[in-house]
Amino acid sequence: MMEDEKMMSKKKPTYPVSGKLDAYLEEYNRKIEIPIFYEDLLRFAGSVAVYDAEGEDTLWVRVYYSDSEREEIDLSLKKVYSILHSDGSDRIFQYLNVDAVDYCTFGNSKPFRIKVRNILNDNFTYFYIKKTDASRIYGLELEHMLSPYNLNFLVHKDTLIEEHIAGIPGDVFIKDMLPNCTESEKSQLAKEFVKFNERCMIRLLGDMRSYNYVIMPVHDFDHVVYKIRAIDFDQQSFEGKLKVYFPQFFKENFVMVEMVQKKLLQDSVDQYKIEERSIVAKRILSSGNRLKKLRNACKTDIISKEENVNLLKEQIYELVLDKDFRQCNTMGEILDLALNFVRRNYENVSMRQIIEKKFDVQ
């Protein structure tokens, strides 16, 4: 079943960092002083549109600054790069050049994308500067602990620095590359989409439309293995409709859903779901105090609207028939219960068949 984006809120508010979350960021070295703020980059003097190789508007604009500010901004951005990717010293500044500062007005986060190049070998990388949002921070941390991928990011007051996640944007891959994949590669992609779909649902990461995740081809001996990785964490535990947390229900992913239906038997789909739940449960068990502290901070935090909390807890109750969900007052409490549900049922092997029934959305 496919639905359109009407199930998404038109505008998601930005939520401040609470005292508990701030203490968590301090403890785990996510909070650090940086020499430039998001608001500083908004002082650009002008901009030009950025087009892709086919001449299509990317919805990004390349901004430029007055001569009086450019030197200071460049130096500050090099410092941020050094903090994010090196030891924070200025020894590497002489080898770095800030090639571009791009700004995106599309979506909620309105990020700046910084392109930094090593002038000795022309290798370059990106990082992003965004406004701090508590729900996005929870999303980044949960991705770091519960997905197969580590994430590097920093927070300082109202500014969030994120490393670039490399990969082919899902919408680009679906349009330009998927038609040329072999049947074997399509089967493997179908498997990965099932597991990605399950992982997003378990940790309540919403809005995984095709342009909010990337597909990464990994060459393994004589074949290519594809992995799917989220790149936008703006919709962590915000929306009230449960289907928002399933990538399969977005029309932008219809081709991927269709491929799953064609390439995989239902028994295989069920098995891949169980595999992913088991992997996430193992990560929950091995995460120790770090995940517990994050969940404790989230349980008392306000990262969504009251009506969204009430709707989501009722829809999850209808799915799993666990009355504890009806007692939740925050999105953090719902998330905490959902993760406990996955962990408990993984530990109780005799409950496997019940897990399958409870987590399957009709």
Side-chain angles (χ1 to χ4, degrees):
M1 178 181 178
M2 305 299 298
E3 295 197 359
D4 61 25
E5 56 201 32
K6 289 181 181 179
M7 63 181 177
M8 297 284 300
S9 300
K10 289 184 177 179
K11 180 67 176 178
K12 173 187 170 293
T14 298
Y15 293 96
V17 174
S18 65
K20 282 188 176 180
L21 180 56
D22 187 70
Y24 171 91
L25 295 171
E26 181 83 45
E27 180 175 357
Y28 290 100
N29 298 315
R30 297 295 200 187
K31 182 181 175 184
I32 191 168
E33 288 195 14
I34 54 176
I36 194 168
F37 293 96
Y38 178 88
E39 298 295 332
D40 295 330
L41 293 177
L42 289 174
R43 301 199 307 264
F44 51 85
S47 64
V48 294
V50 177
Y51 298 94
D52 63 19
E54 297 179 354
E56 298 291 330
D57 191 344
T58 63
L59 302 179
W60 288 82
V61 295
R62 186 147 298 165
V63 301
Y64 56 90
Y65 299 87
S66 63
D67 292 341
S68 59
E69 291 192 334
R70 181 72 203 200
E71 184 175 351
E72 180 182 352
I73 287 175
D74 275 13
L75 186 62
S76 296
L77 293 175
K78 291 177 183 178
K79 181 69 172 178
V80 171
Y81 174 91
S82 181
I83 294 171
L84 189 65
H85 292 291
S86 186
D87 60 0
S89 71
D90 59 3
R91 290 176 297 178
I92 63 173
F93 287 7
Q94 59 183 316
Y95 308 121
L96 302 178
N97 188 71
V98 179
D99 278 8
V101 178
D102 297 333
Y103 178 57
C104 183
T105 58
F106 178 73
N108 286 313
S109 59
K110 296 184 178 179
F112 284 93
R113 180 179 61 197
I114 318 300
K115 180 180 179 181
V116 178
R117 176 173 54 88
N118 185 311
I119 62 176
L120 296 179
N121 51 36
D122 280 341
N123 285 330
F124 63 87
T125 190
Y126 298 95
F127 65 86
Y128 298 85
I129 298 181
K130 305 177 180 180
K131 292 196 71 172
T132 299
D133 175 36
S135 60
R136 187 178 299 117
I137 291 173
Y138 286 118
L140 289 164
E141 276 292 315
L142 288 168
E143 180 75 3
H144 180 73
M145 285 184 273
L146 299 183
S147 84
Y149 313 104
N150 292 331
L151 269 178
N152 191 12
F153 70 92
L154 302 170
V155 180
H156 183 50
K157 296 183 179 179
D158 66 346
T159 300
L160 172 66
I161 311 292
E162 288 181 29
E163 70 175 349
H164 175 65
I165 298 174
I168 304 165
D171 55 339
V172 174
F173 185 93
I174 291 170
K175 176 177 176 289
D176 297 336
M177 304 184 71
L178 183 59
N180 298 319
C181 288
T182 66
E183 294 306 309
S184 175
E185 289 171 343
K186 289 179 180 178
S187 294
Q188 196 269 326
L189 267 166
K191 169 187 173 181
E192 287 302 313
F193 186 79
V194 169
K195 302 185 80 169
F196 177 66
N197 188 74
E198 197 71 10
R199 187 163 68 246
C200 291
M201 178 273 295
I202 290 172
R203 40 77 58 97
L204 298 181
L205 176 62
D207 193 20
M208 282 298 106
R209 285 174 277 190
S210 56
Y211 48 78
N212 286 333
Y213 59 82
V214 294
I215 296 177
M216 304 178 298
V218 179
H219 292 268
D220 184 22
F221 291 104
D222 59 348
H223 67 289
V224 177
V225 176
Y226 292 96
K227 301 294 183 181
I228 302 177
R229 183 175 182 182
I231 59 172
D232 191 332
F233 306 94
D234 186 57
Q235 292 288 341
Q236 174 64 50
S237 306
F238 173 74
E239 293 287 349
K241 295 180 181 178
L242 182 58
K243 288 180 179 178
V244 171
Y245 301 104
F246 289 81
Q248 73 186 69
F249 290 114
F250 288 100
K251 64 180 182 182
E252 291 84 354
N253 295 324
F254 173 75
V255 173
M256 300 294 281
V257 174
E258 190 177 45
M259 185 170 63
V260 170
Q261 294 170 341
K262 289 180 178 179
K263 304 300 294 185
L264 302 180
L265 297 174
Q266 187 58 47
D267 286 348
S268 295
V269 171
D270 293 340
Q271 178 60 35
Y272 295 144
K273 287 181 179 181
I274 293 173
E275 287 180 10
E276 192 61 29
R277 290 172 216 153
S278 299
I279 291 171
V280 171
K282 290 175 183 177
R283 293 191 183 111
I284 293 171
L285 291 169
S286 65
S287 61
N289 288 331
R290 180 165 184 164
L291 182 58
K292 291 179 183 177
K293 290 180 179 180
L294 184 73
R295 290 161 65 176
N296 286 336
C298 193
K299 283 193 291 186
T300 58
D301 216 342
I302 304 299
I303 56 172
S304 187
K305 300 176 181 178
E306 184 178 355
E307 57 264 35
N308 288 354
V309 174
N310 292 333
L311 177 60
L312 184 61
K313 70 183 184 182
E314 284 299 320
Q315 291 192 353
I316 294 181
Y317 167 75
E318 291 173 4
L319 181 65
V320 302
L321 301 179
D322 185 335
K323 293 181 180 179
D324 288 342
F325 280 101
R326 284 186 159 172
Q327 308 305 314
C328 294
N329 295 310
T330 67
M331 280 293 185
E333 290 179 352
I334 295 175
L335 175 66
D336 186 61
L337 271 179
L339 295 180
N340 279 336
F341 186 87
V342 172
R343 176 186 57 80
R344 287 197 312 268
N345 286 298
Y346 168 76
E347 292 176 317
N348 188 350
V349 178
S350 64
M351 293 285 288
R352 288 295 168 81
Q353 290 183 334
I354 296 178
I355 299 175
E356 292 182 40
K357 293 179 182 178
K358 286 185 174 181
F359 277 88
D360 285 341
V361 174
Q362 301 300 321

